[in-house]
Amino acid sequence: MTEDVLMRIGLVGTGYWARETHAPGIDGAPDAALTAVWGRNPDAANTLAERHGAIGYADFDEFLQHVDAVSFSVPPDVQATFAVRAARAGKHLLLEKPIALDEQAADKLVASVRASGVAALVFFTHLFSPPVMHWFRSTDDSEWLGGDAYWLGSALCDDNPFNTPWRSQYGGLWDVGPHAVADLWRALGPIVEVTADSGAPDVTHLILHHQSGASSTCTLTLSAPDAADGFTMMLWGASGRAHLPIAEVDSLKAHTVAIGDLVALGRSGDREHPANLEFGRDVLRILAAAQRQLDTKAGA
């Protein structure tokens, strides 16, 4: 593919996030075009495809024949299975977080991507948000001693479009936890140990120990009242306090940036990126370690 040819992007998924963020995010990327949609509901795939001048496919393998890269917006266990097939077919990947729901599936996906040589990024929204990335760079020279993140989501409310079966089963640790862990990892360095505890309903508390010697905490839930819904993250140290500019985050613009980065990696052959697949697996390992502790305490 030459630089004057748009990268053909296929979208896997037809739900709320696919319709509101992935499809328009692809449309907004200057070097990409949404050309194909696949979903478990063929009618929904056709409807979404027609809205964006693409083609809906009922067969996944046929879908893969008409794209250069795939943007995924499906539950993590579904994503892990189909992303392996896409990687083996030589397609670049933009994945949602978490990349899977267990370490074995994540390792299989990483191995498939490495074997095929394709580019693979994980859509940690803040890591593609220009205001947040500017904030991270502005804090890089400070010696932070710790940080705290609160992601109080209300996705499990009856009328919330994100109230889906996998979120109901796995809760805040696995849905919003990846964002908080990724942000604290980016701000304070690699996480080497996690301690987890739980509260009710669906509240997870994490203590994260960083390679730098800093420590941080997370409070995560999808069952917060609407009035408490929101995310905050604060770093603290000799410089004082610094708060992540969450009000400036635009998920749609961030997705467009992610697509642009994927196109650039696909063309250059470079596979290094702050939100690459290996980082996605690193974050998943922290979640999995926390989940094992919670299961042990619950007697599971």
Side-chain angles (χ1 to χ4, degrees):
M1 185 180 67
T2 61
E3 293 194 10
D4 59 346
V5 176
L6 297 179
M7 180 176 282
R8 301 172 302 165
I9 310 292
L11 174 57
V12 169
T14 60
Y16 176 82
W17 194 236
R19 298 192 303 271
E20 298 299 318
T21 300
H22 281 253
I26 297 167
D27 283 344
D31 296 321
L34 177 58
T35 59
V37 178
W38 180 88
R40 290 174 289 183
N41 181 333
D43 290 338
N46 287 332
T47 298
L48 181 56
E50 290 173 5
R51 188 180 305 164
H52 293 271
I55 298 174
Y57 291 90
D59 182 85
F60 184 71
D61 292 319
E62 183 182 3
F63 160 86
L64 289 177
Q65 294 175 18
H66 297 275
V67 302
D68 306 304
V70 182
S71 182
F72 285 87
S73 183
V74 289
D77 54 336
V78 177
Q79 170 177 264
T81 298
F82 283 92
V84 166
R85 291 172 61 181
R88 290 174 176 172
K91 311 304 175 182
H92 305 300
L93 310 176
L94 179 60
L95 302 157
E96 273 293 342
K97 51 77 220 161
I99 61 172
L101 288 172
D102 62 74
E103 291 174 282
Q104 293 76 20
D107 288 342
K108 181 178 180 180
L109 177 52
V110 170
S112 297
V113 166
R114 286 178 174 173
S116 67
V118 298
L121 298 179
V122 184
F123 186 43
F124 293 106
T125 311
H126 297 166
L127 300 188
F128 294 98
S129 171
V132 174
M133 292 308 298
H134 174 76
W135 178 81
F136 277 131
R137 289 189 292 270
S138 73
T139 63
D140 280 344
D141 293 333
S142 299
E143 295 184 7
W144 303 110
L145 299 175
D148 299 286
Y150 293 82
W151 199 307
L152 309 179
S154 57
L156 298 186
C157 293
D158 290 341
D159 59 349
N160 194 295
F162 294 106
N163 189 351
T164 57
W166 85 265
R167 289 185 175 89
S168 179
Q169 180 178 354
Y170 287 87
L173 173 64
W174 287 89
D175 183 33
V176 296
H179 289 301
V181 170
D183 286 350
L184 288 165
W185 189 305
R186 170 62 182 81
L188 299 174
I191 298 165
V192 296
E193 186 179 355
V194 58
T195 302
D197 208 341
S198 62
D202 176 45
V203 175
T204 300
H205 302 286
L206 304 180
I207 301 174
L208 306 173
H209 300 274
H210 298 260
Q211 194 174 75
S212 64
S215 61
S216 60
T217 67
C218 298
T219 296
L220 312 164
T221 186
L222 294 181
S223 299
D226 284 334
D229 187 286
F231 173 72
T232 60
M233 189 179 100
M234 182 267 292
L235 306 177
W236 64 273
S239 301
R241 301 183 183 188
H243 295 265
L244 184 145
I246 188 65
E248 299 179 41
V249 173
D250 183 318
S251 297
L252 176 54
K253 290 181 180 178
H255 191 270
T256 294
V257 171
I259 290 292
D261 286 1
L262 185 68
V263 171
L265 293 180
R267 287 174 171 171
S268 70
D270 186 8
R271 298 296 179 257
E272 295 299 317
H273 191 281
N276 63 15
L277 180 60
E278 286 77 7
F279 180 65
R281 181 176 59 177
D282 289 340
V283 170
L284 182 141
R285 285 173 171 166
I286 299 300
L287 304 178
Q291 186 66 63
R292 286 192 291 271
Q293 294 178 37
L294 297 176
D295 291 345
T296 297
K297 291 176 181 179

